[in-house]
Amino acid sequence: MMQDVWTQLGPTIAAIMFSWTMYQNYFPHELRGHIRRYTDKLVSYFYPYMHIIFHEYESEGWFERSKAYVAIERYLSKNSCTQAKRLKANTVKDGQSLVLTMDDHEEITDEYKGEKVWWISSQQAANRQTIALWKEDDKRYFKLKFHRKHRELITNSYLKYVLDEGKAISVRERQRKLYTNNKGEAGGGYRYRGWRMWSGVVFEHPSTFDTLAMDPNKKQEIMDDLQTFSKSKDYYAKIGKAWKRGYLLYGPPGTGKSSMIAAMANFMQYDVYDLELTSVKDNTELRKLLIDTTSKSIIVIEDIDCSLDLTGQREKNKKKDEEDNKEKNENDAIKEKLKRGEAKEKQSEVTLSGLLNFIDGLWSAIGGERLIVFTTNYVEKLDPALIRRGRMDKHIVLSYCCFESFKVLAHNYLDVVESYVHFPEIRRLLGEANMTPADIAENLMPKSSKENADTCLERLIKALETAKEEAKLKAEKEEEEKAKAEKEKEEKEEKKKEVAATEEAKNADGVNEKDKSESNGAKENGDVSKG
Ligand SMILES: Nc1ncnc2c1ncn2[C@@H]1O[C@H](COP(=O)(O)OP(=O)(O)OP(=O)(O)O)[C@@H](O)[C@H]1O
Ligand SMILES: [Mg+2]
């Protein structure tokens, strides 16, 4: 039976081949063009389908895969798994998971608003005859086939849907990164291909809003704010604002500023760009760094008060004594950070205006969906222009541990809840002593397998009592010093007054003496003249 079919097919194929060769040899090129046009028209008359091709590499981007191709690949992966017979496996998330896509020359179907479309994965053989410096690969592409009558639906809405959905899948499944800026230009100013302004590692910080100890209402407010931001692309476009939001986190060391940034990144599924300002050469490099960041990311500048000389106009109407005292403490803390190597030498030429432009200049709108977060221990040291609303839209103060924050820590660290016996005492002590969440956390952490919730909470109570005692002593000492300083001041003023009074008396005596001697002299002169 099969043999009969082949016997009949043989001459037919031979006839087709012969006609094709005749056509190619004897029809001139121009004539072939005309014939082609007419046959195309004829075919399209009977063949009602249209095609759109998506190449893997577009002509301008030799080294980068087309974003549309990648998005389509991700979008089709869910249908590929169920429909295609031959699949291709690509590794993503730095080798930790696989994405299955259809292999070359496979066809799968998709449905959109009740209409059927076909996706064909194909490849065009590379031109092996060209002499090139590198080996040319076969060119892959996706072909989308659909009925002519759905042209509007496909080009206006289906394609947008596919690309958006594909991008969303990539974002959901990507391995998030933590980036830091590379110092200066690589190779002494020379940039080789592939050198990036940022280098990154996989972001794996475990902090979340659940593990973050802070007032629950405040926490919810921040989470709502972030969620609203992520859904507001159209709203930002409508009001003519770049799609970005600035957060200023301030408070004493160890109150959870860095932990909150990590929690934000995990909550939003964003990458983190940790910008070390002191390594940025100048404003131009700062702008390049900004352009090199992607959307769905948080750009962080930690300890901004130590990064650059960005101190602005201080409030001048504060009492001088208060100011001096505070300044001394702040400078001590900054010196401390310098010692610890947290604040580097100020070699950067980045200026305040460069930083302001970075945050809200024209370039800041590129990419969209970005959070910019500054942290500082001393908010009043920053220039008001830097932290005004619009640049730093939301100011969040993170302070000493309150009872609500303690409850979160106790639950996370020891699995104990509010009804626990030690809680009332801890509540009272937290109202009387200042302790950072970092210190509380350290006391709550079991140090050996013998320690349990009771021992840890008792240790915390002791630490709180010590802190309270120390605070009391400190306050007394400060009071004493203040009283001493005031007394000294009074004494000084008293002395000044005394000196002034003696000077006055002396001057008065001097004047009297002079008057006397002058009047005596006048008398003598008069006598002489008379004489
Ligand atoms: N609010 C908090 N909730 C939970 N843990 C906290 C909190 N604050 C501090 N901690 C704990 O203390 C450690 C230090 O906190 P973190 O680094 O976030 O402080 P910070 O405010 O950034 O301090 P610095 O100003 O010195 O940078 C964290 O690793 C975390 O374990
Ligand atoms: Mg920090």
Side-chain angles (χ1 to χ4, degrees), residues 30-60:
E30 297 87 61
L31 192 59
R32 267 195 272 160
H34 281 296
I35 293 172
R36 175 91 193 263
R37 262 203 302 281
Y38 285 113
T39 40
D40 281 354
K41 269 190 182 171
L42 200 66
V43 168
S44 71
Y45 191 75
F46 293 108
Y47 182 77
Y49 295 102
M50 288 184 65
H51 294 158
I52 303 178
I53 303 282
F54 299 89
H55 287 284
E56 186 174 14
Y57 292 94
E58 286 158 357
S59 46
E60 326 68 88

Side-chain angles (χ1 to χ4, degrees), residues 382-397:
L382 301 177
D383 193 296
L386 187 64
I387 57 172
R388 72 145 164 81
R389 299 292 143 102
R391 286 208 176 93
M392 289 293 113
D393 304 280
K394 197 160 174 61
H395 294 192
I396 300 168
V397 57

Side-chain angles (χ1 to χ4, degrees), residues 211-214 251-260 302-303 337 340 342 377 398 409 413 437-438 441:
T211 63
L212 200 65
M214 68 185 294
T255 48
K257 297 178 291 297
S258 305
S259 309
M260 176 171 282
E302 289 247 41
D303 290 320
K337 285 203 168 179
R340 296 201 315 250
E342 285 179 18
N377 295 137
L398 286 142
L409 291 174
Y413 280 69

Side-chain angles (χ1 to χ4, degrees), residues 10 36 73 77 121 145 155 193 206 208-209 226 287-288 298 303 309 313 319 370 375 445 451 485 501 504 509 511 523:
R36 175 91 193 263
E73 189 174 60
S77 60
S121 154
K145 193 173 97 181
T155 52
R193 184 184 292 149
T208 63
F209 276 109
L226 288 167
R287 194 174 306 149
K288 283 183 196 159
I298 306 184
D303 290 320
D309 190 11
Q313 282 266 317
K319 282 182 196 165
R370 257 185 295 227
T375 74
M445 197 136 84
E451 287 193 343
E504 219 170 275
D509 283 352
V511 171
K523 257 185 209 169

Side-chain angles (χ1 to χ4, degrees), residues 363-382:
W363 294 93
S364 68
I366 293 168
E369 201 174 357
R370 257 185 295 227
L371 299 176
I372 299 174
V373 183
F374 287 174
T375 74
T376 180
N377 295 137
Y378 304 104
V379 67
E380 56 295 335
K381 283 183 85 77
L382 301 177

